[in-house]
Amino acid sequence: MRGFAAMNALSQHEVAQFQRDGFFVARGLVPRADCAALKSTAQSDLAAIKAPVEYEVDTKYPGAPASHAAPGGRTVRRLLQAYARGPLFARWGAAPEIGHRLKQLLGPMVQLSQAHHNCVMTKNPRYSSLTEWHQDIRYWSFERPELISVWIALGREFAENGCLLVLPGTHVMDIAPQRFDAALFLRPDDASNRELIATQQRVELDAGDVLFFHCRLFHAAGSNQTAETKFSLVFTYHAADNRPLAGTRSAGLADIAL
Ligand SMILES: O=C(O)CCC(=O)C(=O)O
């Protein structure tokens, strides 16, 4: 029988894939029963608008309601502070199944950041917005731009409900500042950006599949065109010696050691 370490080790191929592409998917990592329980709590928290939350209107992304008073103005985009939303959320935020894999990529001491992501992304069928091409690191402040986010699908994710799209290999590219707009999204009118965006890959997931992706990987997502809300649980990790910069939002909440 294979032990825990062997079952949760990345193969050399997966490590190489992450280094080359900036992402990989571990299929079926979270048991279906846990996904169902996490989704059920998320559905209750969403129905109750249990704080803290971020609203679609706060993002100002294309397709977001114009104001809190507009139709859909109270649509939640993220249930924030996922780690503190219940024992099963904490269990998966600090999961050894995830930590073991991350340690192969980040080093032996890994920490969960409670300040970034650490949320359930809720993509509403009627009022969800488009997320344009960006790198998550753009608003984060650490000594090194070396963090990994872990995106746990709590249900199916596919084009019609706004699954993630990624640009493989962009985590190691240097993109000239003029190719970004003021909010640090890739400008769609730039010819080089258009070429890059043509390399996009869709990340389709089933419940329990886990996407690991580098904080410099460009990604985007469409709106939800189906009748059901999509739920994804997302956590971000860094090496213990890659400290958040003092006084920034990244240093605002205690890290959790894995
Ligand atoms: O599901 C989405 O719309 C993408 C979310 C995303 O990329 C982000 O919050 O950084």
Side-chain angles (χ1 to χ4, degrees):
M1 217 175 93
R2 293 167 74 216
F4 179 87
M7 281 173 60
N8 289 286
L10 296 174
S11 65
Q12 278 184 357
H13 172 75
E14 286 171 317
V15 172
Q17 192 186 347
F18 183 82
Q19 282 164 352
R20 184 194 62 217
D21 297 339
F23 72 99
F24 72 93
V25 176
R27 299 279 170 198
L29 187 60
V30 180
R32 289 289 173 103
D34 284 14
C35 291
L38 290 161
K39 183 169 165 183
S40 169
T41 304
Q43 281 170 322
S44 308
D45 285 5
L46 181 59
I49 314 193
K50 187 171 168 191
V53 301
E54 179 189 48
Y55 292 98
E56 279 288 355
V57 64
D58 301 331
T59 66
K60 302 185 172 54
Y61 289 171
S67 72
H68 283 294
R74 306 298 290 177
T75 304
V76 170
R77 174 186 175 83
R78 291 192 177 105
L79 299 166
L80 302 172
Q81 298 306 317
Y83 183 83
R85 281 182 184 264
L88 199 55
F89 286 89
R91 186 262 182 258
W92 279 104
E97 295 88 340
I98 289 172
H100 205 71
R101 288 169 168 83
L102 287 170
K103 286 174 189 178
Q104 284 177 265
L105 303 171
L106 288 170
M109 308 284 279
V110 168
Q111 295 186 337
L112 163 72
S113 166
Q114 290 199 85
H116 296 302
H117 281 321
N118 187 20
C119 70
V120 182
M121 306 261 180
T122 57
K123 194 165 272 197
N124 181 282
R126 291 189 65 198
Y127 296 109
S128 59
S129 56
L130 287 179
T131 308
E132 295 179 286
W133 293 101
H134 68 282
Q135 296 169 302
D136 284 343
I137 193 66
R138 72 201 193 287
Y139 302 143
W140 302 352
S141 310
F142 285 79
E143 288 171 4
R144 306 189 301 276
E146 292 165 16
L147 293 91
I148 295 177
S149 292
V150 160
W151 181 288
I152 303 172
L154 300 184
R156 267 188 71 211
E157 306 204 4
F158 48 103
E160 290 74 18
N161 71 357
C163 70
L164 274 193
L165 308 167
V166 296
L167 301 179
T170 48
H171 63 305
V172 290
M173 286 181 190
D174 283 321
I175 305 286
Q178 63 270 22
R179 291 172 63 181
F180 293 91
D181 69 15
L184 298 179
F185 290 99
L186 283 182
R187 284 175 37 204
D189 59 338
D190 177 280
S192 307
N193 286 348
R194 280 205 298 272
E195 251 174 61
L196 192 59
I197 290 168
T199 67
Q200 67 184 263
Q201 276 181 25
R202 199 184 288 156
V203 184
E204 294 192 336
L205 303 172
D206 231 328
D209 290 348
V210 180
L211 166 70
F212 290 69
F213 67 105
H214 194 285
C215 64
R216 296 189 77 241
L217 183 76
F218 280 89
H219 58 286
S223 59
N224 185 352
Q225 309 289 325
T226 70
E228 274 180 47
T229 300
K230 176 166 82 60
F231 292 86
S232 325
L233 175 57
V234 190
F235 293 111
T236 295
Y237 304 85
H238 58 92
D241 68 358
N242 182 20
R243 303 303 313 147
L245 301 183
T248 67
R249 186 162 77 89
S250 300
L253 288 167
D255 290 327
I256 309 283
L258 262 65

